[in-house]
Amino acid sequence: MTVNGWIQILVFIALVAAVARPLGGFMTGVFNGDRNALSPVLGPVERGLYRIAGVDAKAEQHWVSYAVSMLLFSVAGLSLLYLMQRLQGVLPFNPQGMTAVPADLAFNTAASFATNTNWQNYGGESTMSHFVQMAGLTVQNFVSAATGIALAVALVRGFARSSARTVGNFWVDLTRATLYVLLPLCAVCALFLVWQGVPQTLAGAVDATTLEGARQTIALGPVASQEAVKMLGTNGGGFFNANSAHPFENPNAVTNLVQMLSIFAIGAALTNLFGRMVGDERQGWALLAAMGLLFVIGVAVAYWAEAQGNPAFAAFGIDGSAGNMEGKETRFGVAMSALFAVVTTAASCGAVNAMHDSFMPLGGMVPMVNMMLGEIIVGGVGAGLYGMLLFAIVALFVAGLMVGRTPEYLGKKLEAKEVKMTMLAVLCLPLMMLGGTAFAVVLDTGTASMANAGPHGFSEALYAYVSAAANNGSAFGGLTGNTLWYNLTLAAAMLVGRFLVIVPMLAIAGSLAAKTRAPASAGTFPTHDGLFVGLLAGVILIVGGLTFFPALALGPIVEHLAMNAGTLF
Amino acid sequence: MDAKSKNLGRSQASALLDPAILGPAVGQSFRKLDPRLMARNPVMFCVEVVAVLTTVLLLRDVAAGRGGAGFGIQIVLWLWFTLLFANFAEAVAEGRGKAQAASLRKTKTETSARLLGPDGAIAQLVPATRLKPGDLVLVQAGDLIPSDGEVVEGVASVNEAAITGESAPVIRESGGDRSAVTGGTQVISDWIKVRITAAQGNTFLDRMIGLVEGAQRQKTPNEIALNILLAGMTIIFVIAVATIPSFAAYAGGSVSVLVLVALFVTLIPTTIGALLSAIGIAGMDRLVRFNVLAMSGRAVEAAGDVDTLLLDKTGTITLGNRQAAEFLPVAGVSDRDLADAAQLASLADETPEGRSIVVLAKEKYGIRARDMAGLHAQFVPFTAQTRLSGIDSDGVSIRKGAVDAVLAHARTFGHDTAPQGNTVTALRPDPAADAAAREVQAIAERVAKSGGTPLAVVRDGRLLGVIHLKDVVKGGIRERFAALRQMGIKTVMITGDNPMTAAAIAAEAGVDDFLAQATPEAKLQLIRDEQARGKLVAMCGDGTNDAPALAQADVGVAMNSGTVAAREAGNMVDLDSDPTKLIEIVEIGKQLLMTRGALTTFSIANDVAKYFAIIPAMFLAFYPQLGALNVMNLASPESAILSAIIFNALVIVALIPLALRGVRYRAVGAAALLRRNLMIYGLGGLIVPFAGIKAIDMAVTAIGLV
């Protein structure tokens, strides 16, 4: 580890903290329906969309109809995407004459993009037509992210409102999240990337002659625009197969920093939106601080592990002082690769600028743990905040009684219904992550896809299910995912990990909104100070993390210990 | 406070050391293994299921003659111990109530009642068990009152020791706020006619027995929610443990069912699961021992959540009676002269106020109380018409009373024999008298502003001055309100006084707010307003006109001395009829919730150490590298697993006293309380099992159990 590396990490953290407040303020206004600087331009567009869709922007929804709207929208998006892939052979914009995507892969991909996972069991350029890429995948990149934001705002309204029947209007929240938040930010971000040298063109590939005289085809395309939403919407599906490790996606250290920042920007701002909407910004800062605490621990472990390098190399007389550079880009180095890996898995993004499979065992464990916790460290846009709030409910229920009052959060009593729904949501992740892995590692069809033996192969399968259920979409690598077994089970993990969390979460939103808000007093549990931050982080690690201890022990931990003993897999 | 310390002292002594409770509790522990009873507790039910499962597996292994069953037998035994310890905790908690219920039952002996016919004559003698609500019975001196009811005629002194433990008799009379009588209490003197209000099996005594026995115990809302949380965590650990065999198979090893069960049982929150119902029962029991009956556990929980306390001024904040504090003469009258006249006027006044005037004059001016007969004095008692009292002695007439009444008396003095026509206009103008009247009014206003009550004194038509009667705020009450404020609880004083007086007393007592000239409607409205702002309100009351407010309040404590309506409306009854207890009730509620939270936190924090004990042991056979996780350096895989499960069982027993006694409550505010409890039960919960498991491992190895 170097001082330089830590300074870069601290600069990143400072930038995230700096962005949270202004963006949070802006988003609060957007979801409260206030006018903003963009209203003169986008206001008519927004109203036009409502007119076309027949949406009454003033009419708010009960949580049930909010959930039904969300489900209808997601199912429609999923079905449409599935059909597009199956029918791409007869649809336009298919110059390379791609044939129908196989049913299981199409289903996996449709589920993946509709759940904001963006797990890719296919090679984009060899499987999907331009039409599917543009009208299918890119559209879902926006709307699945906007759906996440809308859901988080609905839950925040549950906390902010008192004796209310409704939690907002899904269609309005979805539209505003896309129009006022995602589109403008993506535009700014894309222009910045173009300035930094990221290609943005509708022209085709360029043929070049290399110094050796060989001919090389250099792929180009509208890269910058896709990069922007890949990060800001925590989607993670890159234009190139190498994702953010590719020089055209992520040319230099500055773009790398901006990409990481844009992964965290909306998620961090949502904590501030939460604070503002409940009338006490400190509440938002406390959540962000708990996220930050876990984040720093993760970065420290990952950076330390990567900086150590592989002790086995020393036996060959290789200088290990640069740390573990296998699978890393020299322009990012160990520190920024480790940081990127933690950021992308903390935040449900799934973009990568290095090969996680090549990380040291403990370095690769950190991304896994991030996802196992449910990606609540800033998290996916929206998903991170509501995941964190669910953990806050658990933490307050466990420890809140210790102040001598029945548990409450922000003046809302947490009762049987909230606990039931929270546990339902919290349960689905270990069920899909551990359950899926348990079958995969004993079935021949599962083990056949693994590239490595022993604990490393175990980690590959575990990572896949963890990534899918957490809706992350990043791949450890090494696992051949495009098989009937993995296509279907991973799709199931993605769908359960998304919707079985969302529906109970909305039920909580509805139930909380209906309650009165008791004013805080000296006797209420303080949820804005360091004590709460520590408690929340502790509960997340114990309740969310310990569940996975046996699996981690048999994967990265034993691999690490074996490596130190000289055994590699 | 004496009653409290006495009660709590008694409870602790009998709680932990009484063999009369511990003996039967052991038997109960086995009886409670009945799966139908266990099913009420999801966590312990899971333990029972796996205990049965492992027992069957063990028996199969033994029958098949496989060796190495010693370790298996120990694990299985400790699983059953875990269950028995949990049952024991509950049985001990119930046992304490049972002892009390048994003594209550003794008073519920078969009595017969003199049933009255519609004409009021004694119709027949019937067993008390055959009485129906609405029946009219006559109870005479020496009789036990056959059932709960309301006095409709007569007045009698009643010994209520059977339910309150207080042997001094109390007066019960028809009408007013002291008309409720309780079945099982005894009339000492006189007679009363009682209209029965409770159906058989649902009398106060029945309910009390049910409550202390825990027979009617329903899970409270928070307990239900906590059970859901614990069940959810159990399911999470089912997933975590059930997937291990497949992970192990991939690694080319296997894990025995016994070891998996051991891991599962140690991970699921058995500590809190085992003690949860004991905590609830003990909380109710603490209230009972404190002579407060909560009609539901919900009310006890609500008590912990209370944000606003409505307290009656008289009897709670101030001593019941006003006392003379000062003599304030008008110009030209010495204070000694005023004191002398005031004492004379009060000699025969048996009210506490009157007596306090006599005492003050004696203490301050050394004026000895004189004998009425020696003065040839004639006492003029207070009447609602004159609103004055005093004496006429040897031609001297002294009166004291409300200022306006005294002023009117002074103005008309000497004319009252000729009340014909318009006497006021016939009064001679007297500038000196007018000046005195103005002065008295000024003094009276000053007294009222300071929270006191002015009494004017007049002798032979001449105004002498004002006696300052003061509401005496109870000693130490200010500090208690300060403590309540630290707990985040707002106190509101309810009084019939005018706003000026109320404000002064409120300031002196240190309450946060007051409701002056309170009517039952205003009280009810105040409660509704507070509740609309999301606050929980507690109050106590005794009168029938308090009933709506008692019913509306989240915690309504009815005084046992109160009316049937009040007792029905409240969700708690204070047998001692002491309104100050509201504060302790809140503390007991908080203590109950805190104990639950502390043990939940402790239970969950324990898991870290247990993982570190069992995971390396579990996988050591096929991944010896994982021995590095054996941070406690436990002797062998078997001893590690056995130590973890023994610790898990013993910690239940070790925490029974805490569950029964409750975590100590301090009025220091939520933040400080949380910091303290998190340190003890959170951090302690992380560290203690590391030490405990290591110690047990050393013992197990030394004895050679594995």
Side-chain angles (χ1 to χ4, degrees), chain A residues 402 405-406 438 454 519 522-523 546, chain B residues 246 250 305 307 487 533 611 670 677:
Chain A
M402 282 198 294
R405 289 172 69 90
T406 56
L546 276 189
Chain B
S246 132
Y250 169 82
D305 282 351
D307 301 286
M487 288 151 67
R533 273 179 275 158
Y611 262 123
N677 286 334

Side-chain angles (χ1 to χ4, degrees), chain A residues 397-398 401-402 404-407 413 427 434 438 441-442 454 458 518-519 521-525 546-547 549 554 558 561, chain B residues 222 225-226 236 240 243 246-247 250 304-305 307 486-488 533-535 590 593-594 597-598 601 611 623 625 670 674 677:
Chain A
F397 206 87
V398 168
L401 285 165
M402 282 198 294
R405 289 172 69 90
T406 56
K413 289 262 175 246
L427 267 176
L434 294 176
V441 296
V442 289
F458 180 80
S521 73
T524 46
F525 194 110
L546 276 189
T547 319
F549 191 55
L554 293 177
V558 75
L561 295 168
Chain B
N222 174 259
L226 189 54
I236 290 179
T243 49
S246 132
F247 297 167
Y250 169 82
D305 282 351
D307 301 286
Q486 281 212 301
M487 288 151 67
R533 273 179 275 158
K535 295 185 170 185
K590 286 194 176 293
L593 296 173
M594 274 170 53
T601 308
Y611 262 123
Y623 281 141
Q625 302 93 336
L674 182 65
N677 286 334

